[in-house]
Amino acid sequence: MKKQFYRVSAAAVALLVGMGATGAQSATLSEAIAQALGFNPRIKAADSNREAVNYELRQSRSFYLPQVDATAGIGVASINDSITRSSGTDDYSTMQPEEYGIILQQRLFDGFETDSLVARDKARFKAASRRVYETSEFLALDVTESYLNVVRAQNLLALAEENARIHEAILDSLRQRGSGGVGNRADIDQTEARLLRARSVVEDTENSLQDARASYTALVGELPPALDAPGCPTGSIPPGEAETLAQLIAQNPTLRALDADVEANDARVDLSESPLYPRLSVEASSTYRDDQDGAETWEWDNRVMLMMRWNLYSGGRDAAGKREAVARLGQSKFERSVALLQAEEETRQSWNALRASQRRTGLLTDAVGSSRATRDAYREQFRVGNRTLLDVLDAENEVFVVSSELVDSQTVECFQQYRILALTGGLLRSVDVAAPATTDETPPSFEDTILVE
């Protein structure tokens, strides 16, 4: 009986220290995050947005280049004018006019409209690239949380199964003693009740594990039979809360994306001022006309013109457009301020949770050692008749409860460290996973712009 007790206890200790299950087909946290970055549609949606903004930038740059239009027209005309009446009749003359032409226009000055469009879309491209990184960082955090929850559930299930096996061993021992005329029926009934309760906990924990696996699968796309326990990135996080808050402004992924949004809206203000300027362009055209204006003849019209256009009144549209752009710029700045407050709040909450879980982990580690020592002493005392069976069962339950709480606390402690890294934009680097190539903020060159795909 005594040797059997110690074998079970040693297995529980090994499980708790390992904090995870390892199998032949196990996956590391880095592998899980890398797989999620390639599978999850959140990344693909952010990539598609960046690609769309890239093509918007190409559209804006096209105004630097000549615009060429072709025209063609043919129809029927019924004309009665001085030319048709010169033939001595007042009848209408039916004609078939034709017109074909080509027009080339090159902007020379457009009130800085094209420059502002390009500046706006470059900033939007930067924002879209940073949102790919933001999505990648926080998807990695979601995968990390789900991964840790699976490992936590695996550990809790193993503890619950060990707890049930311990109760089975105690019940077998009592039945053997009962068959030899030692012990009583009440002890057996009480142990059977505790065993049924332990098996119920196993069922609940198994259900929790399946829920955790389902969440993991939704993020990563598949789930291996077992997950390796990740190490906590204690050495990668900033040394304290104040240092973390100082890093937020320059490194928080959300704030960096919103900084680019502010830059884009600033360019929109410049864009809203372009209608206030005159526009200057060179226009070259060549037009062939036949049977035009009642004359049964043809003509070529070739010209090159320096054209100036200046809108003098637009019903207040231009002034309202500038006020709108200024208001949008203010909105984007306030949205960034809101995001900064939220990031600071999350940072403080993470550090509070981390410090609390570290203290709790230390207390629970000592509690696990004390509860095991108490349980072992109670077993010895029960064997010689100085303790009741109820004392032993309560001691076993205490070991199980405290060990489970320790697993929970260790999980929280580890997750909060990863959360701090995500808030400062360093989670992917900490697990040695490369960010998607679409996080590159460099816009395509002008040469790429004019290529026809």
Side-chain angles (χ1 to χ4, degrees):
M1 176 70 175
K2 180 178 178 181
K3 292 180 180 179
Q4 188 174 20
F5 273 138
Y6 277 116
R7 281 199 302 271
V8 174
S9 177
V13 172
L15 171 76
L16 189 59
V17 172
M19 180 125 185
T22 303
Q25 297 180 332
S26 61
T28 65
L29 177 59
S30 297
E31 292 169 344
I33 291 175
Q35 184 170 340
L37 293 181
F39 156 78
N40 198 280
R42 285 156 55 181
I43 300 296
K44 299 182 186 303
D47 286 345
S48 296
N49 176 61
R50 179 182 182 273
E51 183 180 13
V53 174
N54 176 27
Y55 286 117
E56 290 182 66
L57 174 59
R58 292 191 176 197
Q59 293 175 59
S60 297
R61 281 173 163 169
S62 69
F63 293 117
Y64 286 127
L65 302 174
Q67 311 295 306
V68 181
D69 296 297
T71 63
I74 188 171
V76 177
S78 180
I79 300 173
N80 187 339
D81 59 12
S82 59
I83 297 177
T84 60
R85 288 192 298 271
S86 64
S87 62
T89 176
D90 289 338
D91 292 340
Y92 283 84
S93 176
T94 301
M95 312 184 75
Q96 186 176 347
E98 299 178 35
E99 181 174 317
Y100 309 96
I102 187 167
I103 302 172
L104 180 146
Q105 183 186 70
Q106 174 64 60
R107 296 187 183 193
L108 300 180
F109 179 72
D110 60 3
F112 309 104
E113 178 185 27
T114 301
D115 290 343
S116 299
L117 284 170
V118 171
R120 179 201 65 182
D121 290 338
K122 280 184 176 180
R124 293 180 62 233
F125 183 84
K126 182 191 298 184
S129 301
R130 290 180 176 183
R131 283 200 164 83
V132 175
Y133 190 82
E134 175 193 21
T135 303
S136 302
E137 276 286 301
F138 290 112
L139 174 62
L141 181 63
D142 289 342
V143 172
T144 300
E145 182 178 23
S146 181
Y147 190 106
L148 291 172
N149 283 337
V150 173
V151 174
R152 167 186 169 275
Q154 289 174 171
N155 289 334
L156 292 178
L157 177 60
L159 287 173
E161 290 172 342
E162 285 294 324
N163 186 52
R165 283 194 287 270
I166 287 173
H167 283 78
E168 289 172 355
I170 294 174
L171 181 59
D172 289 343
S173 177
L174 291 174
R175 284 172 174 168
Q176 291 175 5
R177 294 175 63 183
S179 63
V182 183
N184 57 72
R185 184 63 197 177
D187 286 347
I188 293 176
D189 291 341
Q190 186 177 59
T191 305
E192 287 178 341
R194 292 292 186 97
L195 175 59
L196 292 173
R197 182 180 177 185
R199 288 173 176 171
S200 175
V201 172
V202 171
E203 293 298 325
D204 288 343
T205 310
E206 174 67 30
N207 181 67
S208 297
L209 175 58
Q210 295 307 320
D211 288 345
R213 285 177 172 173
S215 298
Y216 179 97
T217 303
L219 292 169
V220 179
E222 64 180 29
L223 178 69
L227 299 178
D228 289 339
C232 297
T234 306
S236 300
I237 65 173
E241 180 179 323
E243 291 81 0
T244 307
L245 292 171
Q247 293 181 18
L248 284 181
I249 295 178
Q251 299 181 16
N252 180 265
T254 302
L255 291 177
R256 294 183 73 248
L258 291 174
D259 284 339
D261 283 344
V262 171
E263 185 179 337
N265 280 301
D266 193 35
R268 283 190 176 98
V269 174
D270 294 336
L271 179 62
S272 70
E273 296 174 348
S274 66
L276 305 178
Y277 294 90
R279 293 168 178 264
L280 190 65
S281 63
V282 172
E283 296 182 10
S285 64
S286 179
T287 305
Y288 169 80
R289 299 184 184 91
D290 191 6
D291 285 353
Q292 298 283 335
D293 300 326
E296 295 184 358
T297 184
W298 57 270
E299 67 173 6
W300 277 103
D301 182 353
N302 301 313
R303 65 182 68 186
V304 176
M305 304 285 290
L306 181 63
M307 301 294 296
M308 190 276 286
R309 294 179 178 87
W310 195 351
N311 178 263
L312 301 179
Y313 181 68
S314 62
R317 182 184 65 238
D318 298 337
K322 181 174 181 179
R323 292 190 183 99
E324 177 198 359
V326 171
R328 294 297 182 192
L329 175 59
Q331 176 188 358
S332 62
K333 289 180 178 179
F334 285 124
E335 287 175 346
R336 184 194 178 281
S337 297
V338 171
L340 175 59
L341 292 175
Q342 291 175 341
E344 289 175 342
E345 178 185 13
E346 291 178 14
T347 297
R348 293 187 178 96
Q349 290 173 342
S350 292
W351 272 103
N352 291 339
L354 175 59
R355 287 189 289 259
S357 61
Q358 287 173 334
R359 292 191 296 267
R360 190 165 181 261
T361 296
L363 294 172
L364 288 171
T365 300
D366 293 340
V368 168
S370 298
S371 62
R372 285 181 181 145
T374 300
R375 178 201 57 191
D376 294 343
Y378 280 14
R379 287 174 178 174
E380 289 295 328
Q381 292 170 8
F382 173 71
R383 189 173 61 84
V384 297
N386 291 334
R387 284 286 176 182
T388 65
L389 177 64
L390 181 60
D391 292 333
V392 174
L393 294 177
D394 286 345
E396 292 290 355
N397 184 68
E398 179 67 14
V399 171
F400 169 69
V401 170
V402 175
S403 297
S404 298
E405 290 178 349
L406 178 58
V407 169
D408 287 337
S409 182
Q410 289 171 329
T411 302
V412 172
E413 179 182 347
C414 200
F415 171 71
Q416 293 304 328
Q417 294 180 39
Y418 281 110
R419 188 185 185 197
I420 290 170
L421 285 172
L423 288 169
T424 53
L427 196 157
L428 290 176
R429 289 191 297 272
S430 73
V431 294
D432 198 25
V433 173
T438 47
T439 59
D440 182 7
E441 301 175 15
T442 306
S445 66
F446 183 78
E447 289 75 14
D448 291 335
T449 300
I450 64 176
L451 292 177
V452 179
E453 296 183 353

